[in-house]
Structure formats: structure tokens, C-alpha cells
Amino acid sequence: MPSLHNLPAPAKINLFLHVTGRRSDGYHLLQSVFMLIDWQDTLHIDTRSDGQLRRHDLNVRLPDDDLCLKAARLLQTESRTSQGCDIRIHKEVPWGAGLGGGSSDAATVLLALNQLWGLNWSRTRLEALAVKLGADVPFFVRGRNAWVEGIGESITPIKLPAGVLNTPLALLKPPVAIPTVAIFGNESLKRDTKHAIVEDFLAAPRCFGRNDLQAPAESYSSQISQALAIMQNRFGNSRMTGSGSTVFSWITTDTSRQTPSLQPADLGLDDPAWVGRVSRGLIQHPLLDLLDSIPD
């Protein structure tokens, strides 16, 4: 049976994240720039002729019905295929981190099964399906760094400057995972940030704007404030990505000549559940060749 192995599912960070309003149905309106980074999960997918959908966790145990299985089930139902699959996941991107790891995994499943099952669905059709799985999934299906607006459905590709893509990033994930509802339901959340324009962002992409979700996240957990302070003291800048809890910093000083240690003990942290990593931005999704084989 056909198979695709060593499929990357890269994470993303929000270079900024503004909340510009709220719809009558309660959904918040956002503006952000999503940048793909080289911290990624790896998936291996084999087709089955019996229609069964199975997931096998290679290192970290995931929820019984995660987004990968939901993505496969949705595509199977909508396409009415009789085929199934085995999905094997080597998980590296932590969950509850604001890095979009689960959404990226789901997008990789959609893209791979579209080819393995011989569906040849257009990218537009896959994106419409991805919206049903989560706000971040369509971005990963499209596979390019993007200016994102609305509730995440308005995705405009953006070419990030080489200085952004080539500057290493330090990322620090505290043990806490923050429920999204705790952020968007927080009274301190600012919901009227002025609309930004692309030109202003591109004039100062590494320090533009802020993350409006950061203050509510800090009020939810002191670990967010602790991570921000550690990174600010070490690199001179820090910002939370997404709804947390990962904090990132640009490594713009001479420390970029050597890989800084982000091990918990080296940062003065007693809890080994903290996760640190040095990463870089990606020009595009590593599966772009597969994406480009799909008609728009």
C-alpha cells in the first residue's frame, strides 16, 4: 500500500498578535504574522485498504482522539473514500505551547492523505476542510508565512526579510499549559487595538506591536512572567507566542556566534519540565513541493 514517511509538521510563532475587536457571536478578531520555524514533529503515514484509521505514538502519548485522527476522519467522510491509514507520530513540539503543533500535525495529515488516497483535491478545498478543525490549520495547509486576520480565516502570504529568517530564536516553554478560554475570557484582555498595516510591520518586524494575549496569560500563571523575565535578562527582548505558554527572544547579540544553553538547570530552573530550544524561521513549509503539486 502507498505510504509517505518522514513528513515534517513545523511549528509557528506569532511575531505579533493584536486583538482588534469581537464579533457578535463572541469570536475575537485578530491580526498577526505567523512565521514557520524549524521546530517540528515528524509523521509517517501508511494507507490501509480496510478503512480503519489508527494512530501510533512513537515517543509521547497523545490524546486518544487528537487532531490528526479528526483530520483523517473528516477527509475520509467528506471524500467518501473506503481507504484508511496508520499514522505514526514522533512528537517534538510541546502541546499547550502557542506553537500550533497539533494544528500543524493535522495539516500534514490532510496534505499527505490527499495524495496517498488519490483524491487530488484543490488547496482551496483542503483549506475549507481545515477550517472545521481549527483556526490555525488552514495556515499550515497553505504552507507559507502569512499576515493573518479575522478569526484566522484571512491568510495573506508575506515575504519576511532575510534578517528575520536568519536571526536565531530562543524559545522557552514553561510547564504550564494555558486554556484558551482562560485567556479570551480574561477581563484584562485588550480588544480594541488599532488595525496595523503590513508596511509598518515590515519596517520593524522583530519589534513590531505586541501580543495582546500576554497580559491575561501572565495573570493566569506566574510562570509566564518568569519565562519573560528570564529571556529578557538573557537576550534583551522577550514576547509570548500565541495564547502561550512559550516565550521567544531574538538572539541578536554576539551570543549568536555560539549556541546558548537553554537547559532548565543552566537557566536557574529547578523543574526539568521547562523546555528550551534554539530555532530559526523557515522561508516556507518543508512540504511545499507537495503543496505545489495540488491545484489551487
Side-chain angles (χ1 to χ4, degrees):
M1 298 295 290
S3 63
L4 288 171
H5 291 175
N6 299 311
L7 297 169
K12 60 83 183 168
I13 61 169
N14 300 82
L15 297 186
F16 75 92
L17 200 166
H18 294 168
V19 182
T20 59
R22 192 175 190 179
R23 301 194 317 192
S24 58
D25 60 6
Y27 282 95
H28 289 78
L29 299 173
L30 311 173
Q31 279 191 311
S32 185
V33 166
F34 286 19
M35 183 178 75
L36 296 160
I37 61 173
D38 62 5
W39 196 354
Q40 63 186 39
D41 298 333
T42 303
L43 281 68
H44 312 275
I45 304 180
D46 301 278
T47 53
R48 301 174 62 102
S49 60
D50 59 7
Q52 293 188 50
L53 303 174
R54 295 182 177 178
R55 194 200 69 233
H56 311 272
D57 303 331
L58 299 182
N59 60 334
V60 176
R61 180 166 177 78
L62 300 174
D64 290 340
D65 194 25
D66 73 327
L67 272 183
C68 282
L69 283 176
K70 290 178 181 178
R73 188 181 308 119
L74 183 59
L75 184 60
Q76 185 186 58
T77 300
E78 294 293 325
S79 67
R80 299 183 180 180
T81 183
S82 62
Q83 299 180 78
C85 67
D86 285 288
I87 304 169
R88 292 175 172 81
I89 303 179
H90 186 88
K91 191 72 179 168
E92 291 290 343
V93 179
W95 66 277
L99 298 170
S103 296
S104 185
D105 294 343
T108 292
V109 167
L110 289 178
L111 293 166
L113 290 179
N114 185 52
Q115 176 170 309
L116 289 171
W117 286 347
L119 303 180
N120 197 35
W121 279 21
S122 69
R123 191 181 313 178
T124 300
R125 192 174 182 184
L126 287 174
E127 286 179 16
L129 202 65
V131 169
K132 300 179 181 181
L133 296 167
D136 289 348
V137 184
F139 161 74
F140 289 106
V141 167
R142 182 150 291 274
R144 297 183 186 276
N145 297 321
W147 181 275
V148 179
E149 296 184 287
I151 60 172
E153 83 289 0
S154 178
I155 304 169
T156 304
I158 186 171
K159 184 177 181 179
L160 295 174
V164 171
L165 297 170
N166 295 334
T167 302
L169 287 157
L171 298 107
L172 183 62
K173 163 70 171 68
V176 66
I178 305 176
T180 303
V181 65
I183 298 296
F184 286 102
N186 193 296
E187 293 182 358
S188 68
L189 176 62
K190 180 177 174 61
R191 298 180 173 90
D192 59 354
T193 296
K194 182 181 177 181
H195 278 264
I197 60 175
V198 175
E199 290 77 6
D200 287 345
F201 163 75
L202 290 176
R206 290 204 299 258
C207 59
F208 179 82
R210 60 184 176 274
N211 184 343
D212 284 335
L213 308 186
Q214 185 170 300
E218 288 190 79
S219 68
Y220 180 86
S221 173
S222 61
Q223 289 183 359
I224 305 298
S225 300
Q226 185 180 5
L228 288 163
I230 289 172
M231 299 291 267
Q232 184 70 39
N233 290 337
R234 192 171 180 85
F235 301 107
N237 64 96
S238 63
R239 180 174 292 181
M240 188 182 77
T241 180
S243 57
S245 58
T246 302
V247 170
F248 69 92
S249 297
W250 299 102
I251 307 176
T252 57
T253 65
D254 289 341
T255 57
S256 63
R257 297 176 183 172
Q258 55 186 345
T259 303
S261 175
L262 294 178
Q263 295 301 312
D266 296 327
L267 297 174
L269 299 166
D270 296 328
D271 188 346
W274 288 73
V275 179
R277 182 182 174 94
V278 175
S279 188
R280 288 183 185 270
L282 297 173
I283 296 175
Q284 58 196 26
H285 197 298
L287 284 180
L288 197 60
D289 288 342
L290 176 59
L291 291 172
D292 283 344
S293 71
I294 303 173
D296 285 335

